[in-house]
Amino acid sequence: MLMRTDPFRELDRLAQHLMGPGTWSRPSTMPMDAYRDGDQYVIAFDLPGIDPDALDIDVERNMLTVKAERRPLPRSESAQTELAERPLGAFSRQLVLADTLDTERISADYEAGVLTLRIPIAERAKPRKISVRGTGERKVLDS
């Protein structure tokens, strides 16, 4: 139900990794998984070390936008950095959602560094049976 719009995502991810931390004007992407589970779509974003207050989730029409920011941990003035591999800065991801998803009922949970969005399938998109009524009479066509 998600429509992929960026065929060069892996190339962009590699370039952003080499360019350093993301900024609000040029955010880094965040890894994600998306799958259907019954009557809903589930999207899970890896965002370890992000404060839940630093998450921003918007949906406008069928465009879902997730933004987050990871700031450096507070350190004493005498601390000297020996190694810094954890990415810092701004992260963002935009997804075009299919019309068959109910964007009015999206739920979000954040646990153990994973942001999980659950998007129900819209009622109009679910399979349904169409009943056929018979009139009990046969109509004869004139020729």
Side-chain angles (χ1 to χ4, degrees):
M1 296 286 175
L2 297 175
M3 292 181 265
R4 195 172 278 200
T5 59
D6 186 4
F8 301 104
R9 191 177 86 195
E10 289 301 317
L11 184 59
D12 287 343
R13 191 182 321 204
L14 178 61
Q16 287 178 356
H17 178 72
L18 296 173
M19 291 171 53
T23 63
W24 283 115
S25 61
R26 182 182 221 134
S28 298
T29 60
M30 56 191 85
M32 67 170 237
D33 290 335
Y35 57 93
R36 183 173 176 164
D37 185 9
D39 285 343
Q40 66 182 351
Y41 259 81
V42 180
I43 306 171
F45 298 92
D46 277 349
L47 294 167
I50 302 287
D51 187 312
D53 294 332
L55 293 170
D56 184 30
I57 306 166
D58 291 315
V59 64
E60 184 177 342
R61 296 186 209 187
N62 288 5
M63 180 65 73
L64 174 74
T65 304
V66 177
K67 295 179 183 176
E69 183 176 13
R70 184 182 301 127
R71 297 186 176 132
L73 296 173
R75 299 180 186 157
S76 68
E77 289 183 24
S78 62
Q80 293 181 327
T81 302
E82 298 292 330
L83 180 65
E85 292 182 342
R86 298 177 63 233
L88 301 174
F91 301 87
S92 179
R93 195 76 185 254
Q94 285 191 315
L95 303 171
V96 177
L97 303 176
D99 290 334
T100 56
L101 298 177
D102 187 353
T103 59
E104 298 293 322
R105 296 184 14 221
I106 297 174
S107 66
D109 297 302
Y110 183 69
E111 185 178 336
V114 178
L115 173 65
T116 304
L117 303 180
R118 298 181 187 284
I119 310 169
I121 305 287
E123 287 299 320
R124 69 182 184 280
K126 292 179 182 176
R128 61 189 183 281
K129 293 285 185 187
I130 307 296
S131 62
V132 179
R133 292 183 294 174
T135 60
E137 299 177 17
R138 258 191 149 166
K139 197 171 195 179
V140 179
L141 298 176
D142 294 329
S143 42

